[in-house]
Amino acid sequence: MAENLNLFTSTQDVIQDALNKLGYDEGMFELLKEPLRMLEVRIPIKMDDGKVKVYTGYRAQHNDAVGPTKGGVRFHPEVSEDEMKALSMWMTLKCGIVDLPYGGAKGGIICDPRQMSMNEIEKLSRGYVRAISQFVGPTKDIPAPDVFTNSQIMAWMMDEYSRMDEFNSPGFITGKPIVLGGSQGRERATAQGVTICVEEAAKKRGIEMKGARIVIQGFGNAGSFLAKFMSDAGAKVIGISDAYGALHDPEGLDIDYLLDRRDSFGTVTTLFENTISNQELLELDCDILVPAAIENQITAENAHKIKASIVVEAANGPTTSEATK
């Protein structure tokens, strides 16, 4: 049987398995297998060259039984309706596991912000908020940053929502700059949580953090802070990657040097000549592997080539269900 790489259907499988084990009937699965609301929007933008380009955006709201839905907005060329549905379901599960009064949501726009000017990204951010404005708000659905979005984009979105609402609405969005009511420590929070998991797993395996060889796939918000935390703890970060490739040094990379030179999209490998592929990075001989990029990176095809003693997931669904087995 071919491996299922569709994150949406594999997420449905995970939910069905869990509900069966917990003794719920088919009705509960019917309720949770799809988002309550799925919005597709069209966003016309006047580009810098004067031409109008129309972008497609999505917002999935999976379940609001315990409170407003909550979830990131990603700007990426591979955003799809199925991906948004799946990620909104993961958000419901994550909030539920730690008992937060939120349901799951996810949004995205099919675009490549790396090929766009700041002016075009601002117009797109504001256009997206105008398109989804009837469905979002502090008591309905709260967006946040995700892949290729940051606090600046959240600031534009908040400003646009506040202009439409004719009222300052900092509660509409999280991940905004501190000066606009953002939270201290928000940017490093994901990596801080992953660090705790890495340290606990290492203890169980009897691995000393000092000198441990760590590979981190992804150098965005989670990956870059994690690399810094690991490096500060005395571990050797021997590999990191971004969307363009990966860097490897068995003696340990100079993380401060890389952090200093990466751009706002977490890209740094383009500055180097001796890069390796993301696939080669995952298969490096190391103690701890952290996939911190996008979904479906460890598959049935490459799982047996993973040499890490511990895999700690920092991305959403980076390991397929076949690979997990």
Side-chain angles (χ1 to χ4, degrees), residues 186-291:
R186 192 260 164 216
E187 288 198 317
R188 51 167 39 93
T190 307
Q192 200 87 59
V194 177
T195 300
I196 293 166
C197 293
V198 168
E199 287 170 347
E200 289 302 311
K203 260 186 231 165
K204 284 206 160 149
R205 276 282 161 96
I207 295 172
E208 271 289 321
M209 283 309 292
K210 200 162 176 55
R213 297 164 307 146
I214 297 178
V215 168
I216 300 169
Q217 186 201 26
F219 209 55
N221 193 44
S224 62
F225 275 107
L226 182 65
K228 174 72 175 150
F229 293 158
M230 294 288 102
S231 169
D232 288 352
K236 280 201 293 196
V237 180
I238 63 166
I240 63 103
S241 74
D242 57 31
Y244 296 105
L247 303 174
H248 172 227
D249 182 348
E251 296 308 309
L253 296 160
D254 184 341
I255 298 302
D256 288 331
Y257 177 85
L258 296 177
L259 287 172
D260 205 33
R261 280 153 184 78
R262 73 183 193 126
D263 65 17
S264 59
F265 298 115
T267 301
V268 73
T269 61
T270 47
L271 305 175
F272 298 84
E273 280 177 15
N274 301 335
T275 57
I276 60 173
S277 69
N278 257 288
Q279 204 48 61
E280 288 170 304
L281 177 96
L282 292 172
E283 295 166 15
L284 286 175
D285 190 5
C286 64
D287 299 307
I288 299 163
L289 171 65
V290 184

Side-chain angles (χ1 to χ4, degrees), residues 151-152 154-155 158 168 170 175-185:
S151 59
Q152 175 59 73
M154 299 305 106
M158 182 185 119
N168 187 28
K176 54 197 174 283
I178 305 290
V179 69
L180 295 178
S183 304
Q184 297 279 1

